[in-house]
Amino acid sequence: MKFHSDEDLWYAFQVGNREALDQLFRSYYPSLYRYGLKICRNIHQTEESIQDFFLYLFEHRSHLGKPSSTKAYLLGSYRRRLLRQLQAERSRTRIHSQAAAEQVDIEFSIDEVLISDEKKQHVNHLILTTLNELPKRQREVLYLRYYQELSINDISEILDISYQGVVNTMYKGMKSLRGSEALKKILIFISIITPYIIS
Amino acid sequence: MKNIGFDQLGDFLESQSFVDWVKGNEGSDHYFWEQWLKNNPQKKELVDEAIELIKGVEFRPLEVSDRSIDSALEKLNQRIDREKSIEETRSRVTRVRRRKFIGIAASIVLLLTFGAWFFYAGHPEMVTYTTGYGEWKTITLPDGSVVKLNANSELQHLKDWNKQPVRMVWLKGEAYFGVQKMMDIDREFKVITKDLGVEVLGTSFNVHARGQQTQVFLEEGKIKLDLGDEISYMEPGDLVVYSGPQSKVLDRRKKGQVTGNPGSWTEGVINLKDAYALDIFERLEEIYGVEIRVRNEEIFTRQYWVQLPMEELKIVIPILEKSMKVKITRKENTLYLE
């Protein structure tokens, strides 16, 4: 049995259908796993927190809302839970982080930046560095938009900011990235001419 | 393809036609957008920004293998099954412990109760009182006992009630009983719900029979609970929650351990102290027949003290908003909490 629309799936899940639970889990586990790992940077904690999250969803299923977007709903409430958990841990271990708990600090790795051409590897490094130096909010918005491929409405729901807020943040982030691409062109030029200058 | 607006960045981002064109997808409205740009040169900056955002950054997402999904799912299902079996074991233990209470008297009571239930249930000679959502009634029974019937409830008794050896009433929902003691003979008063029977001589108590369980709260006097295979006595201030389908006592509290006052609704206030959101929602659903949807599930983790007047829903909503610190939007029969 397979539920074809998100709406049917959610309804079946809410009335306690175990196949619906399985399908929901399979469909969204990869996205949640990727997001969780970015938020807490710990494989074990990511796995455990997703387990707890689904157990919680199953137990409270009849009282959950009917989401307009299942993916946004799941990623959004998982994000809140995980952040709360991290904050509780921090206060237990008395490590007072300067960062507000609401801020997710996403760090991209070189494997995740698409390499279309091996020769352009240093370009990818540059993109990676620029990405990881962006303000946290911009990084998370770019992550949700281009990595998780979510709509602007979904992002606005997950981060609880306005539609225009998402667009503006996205734009600022992309502008910084492109700005560095101009820089990158100069760097490529320098790397080409440097051997000649030295010799 | 809509040819209107396009004043905001978002207008472009949401247009599938525009996105297809930027991405060079097959069958895109290439000609249209070239022309459009020519005719709208003032929008060039906006279009460039939109193109930027659509092209975005290309990522190669982390691989999550099917095998790891399978094993995580198996783990989850085991956990859910384990929680369930713990529940069942608990109920089995209670049942074994309760065996010692079983006696002949109990069996007779049980027989009489259920016999009467089956016998009378088929007969039309019943007087029925019902309340709808958001409606309350005070009923005076033929013997002078007063019953306050909460919203969405039903009370029945036999038409020739006064001639019966036992004053028996059937309850679905919730009611508060102020039972008159009969001067001449000790004629028992008995409330029957689908879970249990409450036997009294003269006293005040609240019975709440909804869903899969019945809750009895005794205000004054003394009552006897007929739980099928167990007879239990209650003292003033005691509270018992019993589930018929599971045939087990779910909760039993002595005076002082009861939070809030289960009978307070008869004074026009539902008083829920240290209550979890789920309990509050259940009450509202029962009384007003509304469905409650929550956007931020943080609400579930907190405890609240709410005092709600027994009034129309539109009066209750702002009070609930204030005491739970939430925002409520009502769409027909559904309340959305944020």
Side-chain angles (χ1 to χ4, degrees):
Chain A
M1 182 155 168
K2 192 147 166 61
F3 300 93
H4 292 290
S5 73
D6 267 6
E7 216 171 50
D8 290 348
L9 176 63
W10 192 257
Y11 176 75
F13 168 71
Q14 284 203 298
V15 298
N17 183 308
R18 293 289 287 268
E19 284 174 61
L21 173 71
D22 287 1
Q23 191 181 327
L24 200 70
F25 189 87
R26 278 181 199 287
S27 311
Y28 295 103
Y29 188 80
S31 295
L32 289 167
Y33 184 85
R34 288 178 189 126
Y35 202 18
L37 201 56
K38 280 275 182 261
I39 295 170
C40 73
R41 303 180 185 188
N42 178 324
I43 292 174
H44 178 72
Q45 191 171 19
T46 303
E47 287 171 352
E48 286 301 304
S49 59
I50 298 176
Q51 292 281 327
D52 292 344
F53 178 54
F54 270 94
L55 193 68
Y56 165 85
L57 286 177
F58 187 75
E59 281 172 351
H60 290 79
R61 61 188 181 275
S62 57
H63 282 274
L64 299 172
K66 191 165 148 274
S68 46
S69 154
T70 308
K71 190 172 181 182
Y73 177 81
L74 292 178
L75 287 179
S77 45
Y78 173 62
R79 176 187 188 271
R80 274 196 300 275
R81 282 176 69 88
L82 189 54
L83 283 178
R84 219 183 305 138
Q85 194 187 334
L86 290 172
Q87 195 184 21
E89 268 167 28
R90 259 181 231 134
S91 61
R92 251 203 314 280
T93 51
R94 295 192 187 159
I95 300 166
H96 292 291
S97 161
Q98 290 294 324
E102 279 297 304
Q103 293 279 358
V104 170
D105 190 355
I106 284 177
E107 200 180 280
F108 295 97
S109 78
I110 190 68
D111 306 332
E112 293 168 324
V113 179
L114 204 70
I115 303 163
S116 43
D117 182 353
E118 284 302 311
K119 282 180 201 156
K120 284 187 190 162
Q121 199 134 12
H122 63 288
V123 177
N124 285 307
H125 270 287
L126 203 86
I127 291 178
L128 181 72
T129 317
T130 322
L131 264 176
N132 284 336
E133 278 169 1
L134 290 176
K136 287 175 187 164
R137 224 330 107 93
Q138 289 178 23
R139 238 182 291 153
E140 191 173 17
V141 168
L142 292 185
Y143 170 82
L144 291 171
R145 175 67 176 175
Y146 302 113
Y147 195 109
Q148 293 273 6
E149 296 182 327
L150 289 161
S151 73
I152 297 168
N153 278 320
D154 283 355
I155 300 170
S156 118
E157 195 184 319
I158 292 170
L159 301 179
D160 202 17
I161 51 180
S162 70
Y163 182 97
Q164 201 51 46
V166 176
V167 173
N168 293 346
T169 314
M170 246 167 76
Y171 181 66
K172 272 185 214 150
M174 283 312 295
K175 215 169 141 191
S176 308
L177 265 186
R178 294 289 178 245
S180 87
E181 272 199 280
L183 183 73
K184 155 197 92 190
K185 277 176 195 144
I186 298 167
L187 285 177
I188 294 168
F189 177 68
I190 293 173
S191 68
I192 294 167
I193 62 165
T194 307
Y196 301 100
I197 296 170
I198 293 169
S199 64
Chain B
M1 174 180 57
K2 274 186 260 169
N3 190 14
I4 43 152
F6 291 111
D7 301 317
Q8 306 266 329
L9 211 40
D11 297 339
F12 291 97
L13 300 179
E14 299 298 322
S15 158
Q16 192 55 49
S17 161
F18 184 80
V19 172
D20 284 342
W21 174 62
V22 172
K23 290 189 171 171
N25 289 346
E26 230 173 283
S28 69
D29 306 306
H30 187 76
Y31 180 74
F32 171 84
W33 286 109
E34 304 273 299
Q35 285 302 310
W36 191 89
L37 267 176
K38 240 179 244 168
N39 297 335
N40 299 279
Q42 77 285 3
K43 301 231 168 127
K44 182 164 188 318
E45 205 179 318
L46 205 56
V47 169
D48 286 345
E49 287 177 11
I51 292 174
E52 184 95 312
L53 290 186
I54 288 164
K55 285 191 171 161
V57 204
E58 271 188 276
F59 286 111
R60 186 162 55 191
L62 175 77
E63 287 283 336
V64 182
S65 71
D66 285 346
R67 211 166 46 99
S68 70
I69 301 173
D70 285 343
S71 80
L73 178 57
E74 200 189 322
K75 201 171 151 196
L76 174 73
N77 277 321
Q78 278 172 4
R79 253 180 94 179
I80 290 175
D81 294 339
R82 199 163 56 230
E83 303 256 321
K84 272 192 177 164
S85 79
I86 289 171
E87 269 299 300
E88 278 158 19
T89 316
R90 256 191 229 131
S91 84
R92 223 174 293 133
V93 169
T94 332
R95 230 174 288 143
V96 170
R97 221 183 291 147
R98 215 186 306 123
R99 291 243 161 84
K100 60 184 170 205
F101 291 104
I102 303 176
I104 297 165
S107 311
I108 293 170
V109 170
L110 178 77
L111 255 165
L112 281 175
T113 309
F114 284 89
W117 174 266
F118 287 124
F119 180 73
Y120 292 122
H123 277 240
E125 300 280 342
M126 302 286 277
V127 179
T128 308
Y129 305 90
T130 51
T131 49
Y133 291 125
E135 188 192 357
W136 294 270
K137 264 183 198 163
T138 300
I139 302 153
T140 308
L141 295 172
D143 68 337
S145 297
V146 177
V147 181
K148 290 184 179 173
L149 198 58
N150 206 340
N152 180 27
S153 300
E154 183 187 285
L155 185 84
Q156 286 188 308
H157 63 73
L158 279 168
K159 210 169 177 188
D160 52 357
W161 197 62
N162 260 342
K163 292 180 195 147
Q164 302 297 321
V166 178
R167 297 173 284 172
M168 228 184 280
V169 295
W170 285 266
L171 174 73
K172 281 181 206 155
E174 180 168 24
Y176 183 90
F177 294 89
V179 175
Q180 280 282 338
K181 192 164 165 53
M182 302 297 275
M183 283 304 159
D184 44 355
I185 36 158
D186 278 351
R187 202 155 72 93
E188 218 176 42
F189 188 102
K190 186 158 184 172
V191 183
I192 299 168
T193 75
K194 58 181 175 26
D195 296 298
L196 51 73
V198 186
E199 293 165 35
V200 296
L201 293 173
T203 177
S204 303
F205 59 100
N206 190 63
V207 181
H208 180 266
R210 296 192 203 266
Q212 301 288 307
Q213 62 190 56
T214 294
Q215 182 214 71
V216 181
F217 174 72
L218 179 62
E219 194 147 290
E220 56 175 78
K222 193 170 179 181
I223 56 181
K224 183 166 117 188
L225 285 188
D226 170 12
L227 306 177
D229 55 2
E230 175 187 348
I231 298 295
S232 175
Y233 292 91
M234 287 176 71
E235 299 291 332
D238 289 0
L239 178 137
V240 171
V241 183
Y242 183 82
S243 161
Q246 296 177 54
S247 60
K248 73 172 183 185
V249 176
L250 301 176
D251 197 5
R252 189 193 288 272
R253 286 170 199 225
K254 298 306 273 175
K255 189 180 180 172
Q257 299 171 314
V258 182
T259 49
N261 178 1
S264 69
W265 64 271
T266 57
E267 277 133 43
V269 182
I270 307 172
N271 187 358
L272 295 164
K273 202 179 173 183
D274 302 328
Y276 282 101
L278 273 179
D279 301 323
I280 299 168
F281 296 165
E282 241 164 53
R283 296 289 284 181
L284 291 167
E285 286 174 359
E286 290 165 9
I287 293 171
Y288 297 104
V290 288
E291 218 177 299
I292 293 169
R293 298 283 174 209
V294 172
R295 274 198 63 181
N296 180 357
E297 65 280 352
E298 228 172 280
I299 290 174
F300 291 128
T301 57
R302 296 204 197 106
Q303 278 176 299
Y304 300 92
W305 184 3
V306 292
Q307 289 174 295
L308 303 173
M310 309 290 282
E311 295 279 358
E312 278 175 74
L313 195 54
K314 65 174 184 221
I315 299 171
V316 171
I317 287 175
I319 297 168
L320 193 66
E321 280 183 318
K322 228 175 166 179
S323 45
M324 289 183 78
K325 295 190 179 65
V326 290
K327 208 185 145 301
I328 300 176
T329 346
R330 181 180 179 185
K331 274 184 205 149
E332 286 163 14
N333 249 354
T334 310
L335 303 184
Y336 296 91
L337 268 69
E338 278 176 66

